[in-house]
Amino acid sequence: MSGLTLKGPYWVAARLHRRALWAVPAVVAVGLVAVIALRIGAGDTDTGGAGAAWTNDGYLLLRACMEQAATGLLFLPLLVGAFVAGPMTARELESGTWRLALTQSTTPKAWLGSKVRVAATVSLLGSAALVAVYRIGWARVTGTYRFHWADRGTYEATGPVLLAYCLLGVALGVLVGQLVRRTLAAMALTGILTGLVMLVLGALRWSILPVETGTVPLSGHASQAMPHSALFMDMGLVTSTGEHLPEYVCSERFQDMVTCPAGIDVTGRYAEFHPVSHYWPTQLIESSLVLALAGVALFVALRLVAARRA
């Protein structure tokens, strides 16, 4: 972000917020060193059996740090949006210093565009680097409790969807910053809006792709009908015609859970799940939806700044 590579309003935007911008590579560097040190302390293999890792203090410390890291990355888009909305946009509108930029042969769109490009570039590169750092540590604990590929936090911290949400935070930040024009209020509102989008799409993401279904005999367990790495969605009983029935149909009359009335014609159990192969399609589709929302917010923001000058 030096003056040797940036010119005009881009240099001004980077210069004004240089401390916050330089904090990004610093956080990435510290995170990388910490993760590598924790990986070394945890060891790369379990030599004492499946449960030996849980008695390894280094492994437990790695897990605890990775849990905190997942939570932190989950809130990263909110922090990005709040910073763009407040210090980068609303503060200048609130104080009136944005008018100074317009006296330097800079158009309103160029003024806002410089902030968007600087913030988007740093957010994109920084979030991508943090995802890479997180995956280094996650590779040691993947598949265990709270680190399943579909778990909230882990899912966002390991794929491109985090980058998309950070860009959404940038777009919402410049839009809300113009509408509110109060630093603290703009920061709070942008964080809330970004969080709401993440909550809504997070609740809907496993409805994007259809679930797969596996069956086992009635004497088996539904978990045997799906891969160990799959995301479980639903289970029940299946008839000879393929109809799905709830699990309690048999247990209402019989206590052994494997005997059903002949009239029900139950032939086995089913499980609905998302296999691990759905991870990348879901990530890419959700990222596309988020980027579309970001594009709409940015379009409105650019139209608004042009109307403000007019």
Side-chain angles (χ1 to χ4, degrees):
M1 297 301 174
S2 67
L4 297 177
T5 56
L6 298 176
K7 297 181 179 180
Y10 301 98
W11 181 88
V12 174
R15 178 68 178 175
L16 287 175
H17 308 287
R18 60 188 181 279
R19 292 181 180 177
L21 299 182
W22 279 115
V24 175
V27 170
V28 173
V30 171
L32 179 60
V33 172
V35 167
I36 292 176
L38 290 169
R39 276 294 304 264
I40 294 174
D44 292 329
T45 59
D46 293 334
T47 59
W54 296 96
T55 62
N56 182 340
D57 292 339
Y59 178 82
L60 295 178
L61 180 59
L62 172 64
R63 283 186 57 87
C65 292
M66 293 306 297
E67 288 181 7
Q68 297 300 318
T71 302
L73 291 178
L74 192 60
F75 283 94
L76 180 62
L78 282 66
L79 296 177
V80 170
F83 179 79
V84 174
M88 290 195 76
T89 306
R91 180 182 295 173
E92 291 198 29
L93 292 172
E94 183 178 11
S95 63
T97 56
W98 75 290
R99 299 182 183 279
L100 178 62
L102 303 186
T103 64
Q104 308 299 319
S105 301
T106 300
T107 65
K109 285 188 177 181
W111 169 77
L112 187 64
S114 64
K115 297 182 177 299
V116 171
R117 290 186 176 92
V118 170
T121 299
V122 175
S123 299
L124 190 63
L125 296 177
S127 58
L130 289 173
V131 167
V133 171
Y134 181 87
R135 290 184 71 94
I136 294 174
W138 176 67
R140 181 65 179 84
V141 297
T142 180
T144 60
Y145 175 67
R146 298 190 68 175
F147 291 105
H148 189 264
W149 58 270
D151 284 342
R152 177 60 65 89
T154 297
Y155 172 86
E156 288 85 356
T158 55
V161 71
L162 181 67
L163 283 65
Y165 279 120
C166 286
L167 293 179
L168 175 66
V170 172
L172 288 177
V174 296
L175 175 59
V176 174
Q178 289 188 80
L179 293 174
V180 177
R181 301 185 66 181
R182 295 293 183 272
T183 303
L184 294 179
M187 293 175 68
L189 183 56
T190 301
I192 292 173
L193 291 177
T194 306
L196 285 176
V197 174
M198 296 181 70
L199 285 175
V200 171
L201 292 182
L204 298 176
R205 68 170 54 114
W206 301 120
S207 300
I208 295 176
L209 296 179
V211 295
E212 295 188 6
T213 303
T215 60
V216 293
L218 188 60
S219 59
H221 192 274
S223 61
Q224 299 171 335
M226 63 182 189
H228 176 71
S229 61
L231 172 64
F232 168 78
M233 301 299 293
D234 192 17
M235 69 177 184
L237 304 175
V238 60
T239 67
S240 60
T241 61
E243 180 184 3
H244 288 179
L245 300 175
E247 188 79 14
Y248 62 79
V249 169
C250 294
S251 61
E252 284 182 332
R253 300 187 185 183
F254 300 91
Q255 300 300 319
D256 59 5
M257 299 294 290
V258 296
T259 306
C260 283
I264 300 181
D265 190 28
V266 171
T267 60
R269 304 178 186 275
Y270 77 89
E272 293 181 344
F273 58 91
H274 284 288
V276 69
S277 60
H278 283 188
Y279 171 81
W280 282 110
T282 304
Q283 281 268 345
L284 296 177
I285 294 173
E286 184 176 352
S287 298
S288 299
L289 294 175
V290 174
L291 291 176
L293 292 175
V296 172
L298 184 58
F299 174 79
V300 175
L302 291 174
R303 293 295 299 269
L304 183 62
V305 72
R308 185 184 300 278
R309 175 60 185 270

